[in-house]
Amino acid sequence: MNFLDMQEKLQQSLNNKHRFIHSLGVSETAVKLAEKFGASPQKAKTAGLLHDCAREFPVPSLIGEARKRNIPIEFIDNYQPILLHAALGAALSSEKYGIDDIEILDAIKLHTTGKEKMNLLDKIIYLADMIEPNRQYDGIDEFRRVAETGDIDTVMIAAFDRSISFVIKKGQMVHPQTILARNYLLAQHINHEK
């Protein structure tokens, strides 16, 4: 399936104009970040477009949809099932959009929580989701400037800090993978400075 076909199918499936516009914004931002940091722009474009494809499902049905596909349900997913849209999005990208590139699928799967030892495409999609042009939150302009000027790992540490702070302010659980991802990058950063 070519990109335009995927785009059309996604627009029909999402049934939400704002979510589709967000997906286009993430795709475009991911391409720019891929060009800046040296990843595949084509993979970034596709992963960015499809990263939220599982948002076609209502949140209450995400656990059931994940179970149908043998996606593991973590403890935290029972309390915050919205987190499952990432892993479910990877599964849907394969079954519905014909994506078989593991790097693209992993980037989609990790765009909400991250993990230790993320590769460059994983980081780009995580970051693009946070800074795409349609996102608005306090401090986003400054964060976009950091993303444009900093190295990817420094920017990712800032992204994880922002994400963790946001989740805590909402009174929600922080996913353990997000903490591991941040700590791994922080340790790498500290070791680099020694």
Side-chain angles (χ1 to χ4, degrees), residues 22-68:
H22 165 69
S23 297
L24 293 177
V26 173
S27 181
E28 291 164 13
T29 303
V31 169
K32 290 176 186 167
L33 291 171
E35 289 168 349
K36 174 181 172 24
F37 293 116
S40 163
Q42 194 58 43
K43 288 183 182 190
K45 184 177 183 179
T46 301
L49 179 71
L50 297 178
H51 81 287
D52 269 353
C53 67
R55 295 299 294 266
E56 72 178 66
F57 298 117
V59 174
S61 71
L62 290 175
I63 289 177
E65 292 294 336
R67 282 196 178 115
K68 282 184 204 173

Side-chain angles (χ1 to χ4, degrees), residues 125-142:
I125 300 306
Y126 188 97
L127 189 55
D129 187 31
M130 287 185 79
I131 66 168
E132 64 94 5
N134 304 291
R135 282 267 196 223
Q136 293 302 321
Y137 50 83
D138 286 341
I140 192 167
D141 291 332
E142 176 59 28

Side-chain angles (χ1 to χ4, degrees), residues 42-188:
Q42 194 58 43
K43 288 183 182 190
K45 184 177 183 179
T46 301
L49 179 71
L50 297 178
H51 81 287
D52 269 353
C53 67
R55 295 299 294 266
E56 72 178 66
F57 298 117
V59 174
S61 71
L62 290 175
I63 289 177
E65 292 294 336
R67 282 196 178 115
K68 282 184 204 173
R69 292 163 179 83
N70 296 315
I71 294 170
I73 311 296
E74 307 281 334
F75 167 80
I76 195 170
D77 297 326
N78 292 301
Y79 297 93
Q80 294 165 205
I82 190 66
L83 294 171
L84 284 168
H85 84 275
L88 192 53
L92 274 187
S93 293
S94 177
E95 68 188 52
K96 191 172 177 177
Y97 296 90
I99 303 298
D100 59 5
D101 185 307
I102 195 73
E103 199 175 4
I104 293 171
L105 297 175
D106 280 349
I108 293 168
K109 182 179 178 181
L110 298 174
H111 86 268
T112 55
T113 62
K115 73 165 190 170
E116 277 184 283
K117 301 179 184 175
M118 293 168 75
N119 70 28
L120 184 56
L121 185 62
D122 299 338
K123 294 172 187 176
I124 285 168
I125 300 306
Y126 188 97
L127 189 55
D129 187 31
M130 287 185 79
I131 66 168
E132 64 94 5
N134 304 291
R135 282 267 196 223
Q136 293 302 321
Y137 50 83
D138 286 341
I140 192 167
D141 291 332
E142 176 59 28
F143 191 60
R144 285 181 179 132
R145 274 192 288 282
V146 170
E148 288 171 13
T149 58
D151 71 272
I152 188 78
D153 287 346
T154 301
V155 175
M156 284 302 295
I157 291 168
F160 286 132
D161 288 352
R162 182 171 288 282
S163 179
I164 291 167
S165 295
F166 176 76
V167 170
I168 289 170
K169 282 179 187 167
K170 286 178 67 178
Q172 295 180 330
M173 297 176 194
V174 178
H175 199 288
Q177 287 299 328
T178 306
I179 295 168
L180 290 172
R182 179 191 181 273
N183 288 348
Y184 178 81
L185 288 177
L186 200 54
Q188 298 296 311

